[in-house]
Amino acid sequence: MALAVLPLLSGCVAALLPLAALGTMGKKQIDRAEAKRELVASGAIDLAMPSGKVTIGPSSETVDALPRTEKKFSGQGGAIEIAESDLDGDAADYIAQYYQPRGSNASPYAGFAAHALNQSARLEAGEGVESVVLIPRVDVFKPKTMACEGKPLAVAIDLDDTTGGDWTKAETLYRQNGLIEVLASLRAAEISVIWLSDQPVAASEKISSILSEAGFSQSESDNFLFLDRGGDDRKQVRRWDAARNYCIVAMAGDDRADFDELYDYLRDPDGAITLENMFDNGWFLTPPPLVEANEPANATPVEKEG
């Protein structure tokens, strides 16, 4: 599939989260294969594996996946300059493999990517790295994050559009600017990508094919899809399960509840004022990766060939 030219990074990255040291990780031996096995055992779908029958959790219950569907994709509008990025240390080297900065426009995923790459560079330098996933039953006045010791790095990206309909049923989808390039830079830094959605696990084949056709997943990279496993499952529980196996160093979503479900229950938004420092510093409010598109009359979406 011919891919649209999309922009990327800008902006400087804030300092590490000033949370308790519970989530800190230094450089040590990391077993990536074991982390992958544990995540898949908890119900995540490894996008590098063939889809069809989907195994749900440790009970080995299987369901028939929904059939895949061909989608049309269009890069979202806007200028196609690649914006300058302000990264710390070796993180800039990852970006330099893909980009020649020129211009001032940026992808909405710019800060998200830069933050994750900075954490990878810190780990390579033997410095501390922190998760951005809050512990279960967190004390909002003394927030702590999940432990990171010995875990491979990952980011979590929420797929759901809180303002739109069911994006999986759209005939034409927009890809967000710069996200393909962001994902390439994360892969170069060996940062895994965990996609989260409240779609049912039976939709895994359809969503997997959409991600592949949009250019968001590659067979040789660590990409995982974490969908609703049924019963009392919640997206928050899936975030915790992911964070038990991976050090989640950045999260992207279009709603505050995409970072922790406590935002769904707050009567007073100021009740989580102690968490405001997390935004743009591990938590990044971004548009959904894929959104239903009303095609302009003069626009012809790119369609996958073959």
Side-chain angles (χ1 to χ4, degrees):
M1 177 175 64
L3 299 179
V5 179
L6 304 173
L8 185 65
L9 298 173
S10 72
C12 54
V13 179
L16 280 174
L17 303 176
L19 297 179
L22 179 64
T24 302
M25 175 176 69
K27 188 175 182 181
K28 64 167 290 183
Q29 188 67 30
I30 293 174
D31 190 341
R32 299 181 63 88
E34 178 64 18
K36 179 185 293 189
R37 284 193 297 269
E38 291 294 328
L39 187 63
V40 171
S42 71
I45 292 97
D46 183 356
L47 294 180
M49 300 296 292
S51 56
K53 291 284 186 178
V54 178
T55 300
I56 309 174
S59 66
S60 298
E61 177 186 358
T62 60
V63 297
D64 290 320
L66 297 179
R68 59 173 292 170
T69 55
E70 296 294 328
K71 295 288 182 184
K72 298 177 181 179
F73 298 93
S74 175
Q76 198 154 20
I80 59 173
E81 289 91 357
I82 296 173
E84 190 169 358
S85 172
D86 182 11
L87 301 179
D88 297 336
D90 293 339
D93 294 338
Y94 294 127
I95 290 295
Q97 297 178 53
Y98 298 95
Y99 314 108
Q100 294 297 321
R102 54 179 184 87
S104 57
N105 293 325
S107 162
Y109 284 81
F112 165 79
H115 186 88
L117 293 171
N118 276 334
Q119 305 318 298
S120 177
R122 289 180 64 88
L123 182 61
E124 285 298 312
E127 301 175 9
V129 175
E130 289 184 343
S131 170
V132 296
V133 178
L134 300 179
I135 62 172
R137 296 175 295 280
V138 66
D139 181 350
V140 72
F141 298 106
K142 296 180 180 179
K144 296 181 180 179
T145 58
M146 300 282 283
C148 268
E149 188 71 19
K151 300 175 184 177
L153 302 188
V155 296
I157 304 176
D158 195 279
L159 284 166
D160 296 331
D161 183 355
T162 58
T163 62
D166 186 349
W167 57 273
T168 67
K169 296 179 180 178
E171 180 180 349
T172 303
L173 292 170
Y174 275 143
R175 297 175 297 212
Q176 290 298 342
N177 287 346
L179 186 50
I180 290 176
E181 291 88 345
V182 159
L183 296 170
S185 67
L186 296 176
R187 293 185 189 110
E190 294 190 328
I191 299 174
S192 300
V193 177
I194 300 172
W195 304 93
L196 291 163
S197 173
D198 274 331
Q199 293 285 338
V201 72
S204 62
E205 183 173 6
K206 177 187 286 188
I207 297 174
S208 297
S209 68
I210 291 173
L211 292 173
S212 176
E213 291 163 11
F216 289 168
S217 68
Q218 294 183 358
S219 59
E220 70 275 11
S221 58
D222 277 351
N223 286 267
F224 303 95
L225 180 60
F226 226 161
L227 304 176
D228 188 340
R229 297 167 289 190
D232 296 328
D233 192 27
R234 312 191 310 277
K235 192 179 287 183
Q236 181 64 50
V237 175
R238 298 195 292 278
R239 275 191 289 268
W240 287 329
D241 286 346
R244 288 187 182 98
N245 297 288
Y246 284 80
C247 178
I248 311 296
V249 293
M251 292 193 289
D254 69 332
D255 185 80
R256 287 176 179 246
D258 291 334
F259 310 109
D260 197 284
E261 68 181 4
L262 67 85
Y263 285 99
D264 284 333
Y265 303 101
L266 287 177
R267 293 183 179 179
D268 179 5
D270 291 337
I273 195 68
T274 55
L275 300 177
E276 284 302 301
N277 68 301
M278 302 282 285
F279 290 98
D280 295 325
N281 194 24
W283 295 356
F284 295 88
L285 284 166
T286 60
L290 294 162
V291 294
E292 184 173 2
N294 293 320
E295 299 176 75
N298 60 350
T300 302
V302 179
E303 187 170 7
K304 182 176 183 294
E305 297 179 355

